[in-house]
Amino acid sequence: GAGVSQSPRYKVTKRGQDVALRCDPISGHVSLYWYRQALGQGPEFLTYFNYEAQQDKSGLPNDRFSAERPEGSISTLTIQRTEQRDSAMYRCASSLEAGTGLGKLFFGSGTQLSVL
Amino acid sequence: DAKTTQPTSMDCAEGRAANLPCNHSTISGNEYVYWYRQIHSQGPQYIIHGLKNNETNEMASLIITEDRKSSTLILPHATLRDTAVYYCIVREAAGNKLTFGGGTRVLVKP
């Protein structure tokens, strides 16, 4: 596609439910990143992939958060047993290069998650 | 990655140059300086990056001091659409994680 696509655009869920957020990166982009952003703050790194390999998951806050990118393209961020503090904008980004990539990330519009 | 320090906010006059400072006194030799901006609720947008030489593209200019401990992003002719949060980030070329700080909230006024 023309840009990074995320779905759903909005997700409202009840505390304790599991949610899956989807990211479709720009075609051909090797690296895929997940960030989350609280209102009024900068994006917070969660994890990233090169192709299908998860390279860094140091930003995942706890073991309720996981991500996968099984075929090196679409990625899913899963949050199990959601809590109210998980409410945030979840943003996905992709970049063309890996390894010595020059840091030019393209971001999607994000998924606004609200946990009631 | 080295941390950066930016003013929390600044105002700029429409049509004038906007100069956004960033301090990165602990930057190491292999770390690049990147600038992104985020307009309202959109995703961050890449602006420019550099290592030690000054850089210019269609969006902005990046001036890096000789000791590399600080830099300035210059928007040559600010427009109302440049109102955004601007993030200065330093990152190793080989590392793929971009760590965002709080950024500078820039308001361009008519």
Side-chain angles (χ1 to χ4, degrees):
Chain A
V4 177
S5 177
Q6 292 187 246
S7 61
R9 183 69 181 89
Y10 301 95
K11 178 68 177 177
V12 180
T13 189
K14 292 184 178 179
R15 186 178 55 183
Q17 297 294 305
D18 298 350
V19 295
L21 311 180
R22 173 188 165 118
C23 174
D24 194 348
I26 295 173
S27 178
H29 276 200
V30 170
S31 299
L32 184 147
Y33 309 77
W34 284 99
Y35 286 82
R36 74 175 174 181
Q37 188 168 21
L39 194 63
Q41 297 184 18
E44 173 193 12
F45 171 79
L46 296 177
T47 185
Y48 88 91
F49 296 81
N50 285 340
Y51 300 101
E52 72 281 359
Q54 192 169 20
Q55 299 293 323
D56 184 343
K57 55 181 182 179
S58 62
L60 296 177
N62 52 59
D63 60 8
R64 294 187 297 106
F65 287 73
S66 63
E68 63 174 9
R69 193 187 184 198
E71 298 180 1
S73 180
I74 292 170
S75 176
T76 302
L77 177 70
T78 301
I79 308 173
Q80 296 179 311
R81 305 180 302 281
T82 52
E83 301 177 4
Q84 287 184 330
R85 59 178 173 160
D86 299 334
S87 296
M89 175 70 80
Y90 288 81
R91 297 194 185 274
C92 176
S94 68
S95 69
L96 181 61
E97 300 173 340
T100 56
L102 299 180
K104 189 171 183 178
L105 272 60
F106 295 84
F107 282 81
S109 298
T111 293
Q112 182 65 53
L113 174 66
S114 297
V115 182
L116 305 179
Chain B
D1 293 340
K3 290 187 176 180
T4 62
T5 303
Q6 299 177 254
T8 303
S9 65
M10 61 186 297
D11 294 345
C12 303
E14 185 181 19
R16 304 293 295 273
N19 298 311
L20 282 60
C22 180
N23 287 324
H24 29 79
S25 58
T26 60
I27 193 170
S28 59
N30 62 345
E31 288 182 313
Y32 286 71
V33 179
Y34 295 87
W35 283 83
Y36 279 73
R37 74 179 183 183
Q38 190 167 22
I39 297 173
H40 193 43
S41 59
Q42 299 176 21
Q45 175 192 24
Y46 168 86
I47 301 174
I48 199 167
H49 77 279
L51 182 62
K52 47 181 149 181
N53 297 324
N54 298 337
E55 302 288 344
T56 295
N57 62 21
E58 66 280 2
M59 291 182 69
S61 295
L62 174 60
I63 308 299
I64 302 174
T65 58
E66 192 170 342
D67 64 7
R68 304 210 320 125
K69 293 186 176 181
S70 66
S71 60
T72 301
L73 179 74
I74 301 174
L75 307 178
H77 304 286
T79 70
L80 299 180
R81 289 174 294 180
D82 291 323
T83 291
V85 179
Y86 287 77
Y87 297 98
C88 170
I89 304 164
V90 293
R91 198 205 73 166
E92 289 184 17
N96 271 26
K97 180 172 66 177
L98 281 178
T99 301
F100 290 81
T104 297
R105 192 170 298 274
V106 174
L107 176 62
V108 180
K109 295 182 174 179

